[in-house]
Amino acid sequence: MGLRSVTAAAAALAAALLLVATACGGSDDRNSPAGIQTSGRTAPPAVRYDQHVSAGLIAPPAASLTNPLHGDARAAAAGAQLFSAMNCDGCHGGGATGFVAPSLVDGRWRYGGDDAALFHSIYYGRPRGMPAYGGILSDGTIWQIVTYLRAQPVASDVATERWR
């Protein structure tokens, strides 16, 4: 087999693989890096917040997410209904005050309490029981839940803080 026929065969194989990959729609959402559009939807980028551990004092690469519904009373009301409808209160308790899962209104956060960190917790889930809802809920719906949680007043006395 000559060099030209090997090169032509390799080029044909590469073209065939490209055609198959294109026809199959590329990669699936579970393995796509954040910020890459897959299945008609763009995954949110990684966000930076104070709780990130930085190696060598260099913050990890990240972007900013801004809650488009921040302070919107109607969005907070819709978020309250979604919180109940999605059974969030089954773990986080009524009013998000805590039950078998942590309180979301006591002002203490394991993974960051700003809007972007809450969005990420709901979208991607968290270890130890928080399911990922990014494949189930739209970004707007998640922002409504975040808006509801952020609208809740922080309790002056947190029940898990100390015994009376």
Side-chain angles (χ1 to χ4, degrees):
M1 189 178 238
L3 181 60
R4 284 189 185 188
S5 60
V6 170
T7 305
L13 178 61
L17 288 174
L18 180 61
L19 182 63
V20 169
T22 303
C24 291
S27 65
D28 69 314
D29 291 337
R30 293 171 294 165
N31 298 320
S32 296
I36 303 297
Q37 187 172 10
T38 57
S39 301
R41 186 168 180 196
T42 302
V47 294
R48 181 176 295 121
Y49 49 92
D50 294 338
Q51 291 80 5
H52 271 139
V53 176
S54 300
L57 301 177
I58 299 171
S64 297
L65 286 179
T66 304
N67 183 350
L69 305 174
H70 181 78
D72 184 332
R74 279 194 226 165
Q81 291 178 340
L82 288 163
F83 190 83
S84 179
M86 292 303 299
N87 198 30
C88 303
D89 55 1
C91 294
H92 291 285
T97 57
F99 183 51
V100 295
S103 169
L104 301 175
V105 296
D106 65 3
R108 298 180 300 167
W109 301 98
R110 180 176 290 157
Y111 300 105
D114 66 6
D115 289 4
L118 291 174
F119 182 92
H120 262 243
S121 291
I122 297 168
Y123 193 97
Y124 291 112
R126 296 292 182 181
R128 300 193 272 297
M130 175 64 190
Y133 287 99
I136 299 168
L137 301 175
S138 70
D139 292 0
T141 300
I142 294 173
W143 282 123
Q144 287 177 331
I145 294 170
V146 169
T147 302
Y148 160 68
L149 294 173
R150 300 293 287 165
Q152 303 310 302
V154 175
S156 60
D157 187 29
V158 179
T160 57
E161 181 177 64
R162 64 179 177 270
W163 294 97
R164 293 188 188 261

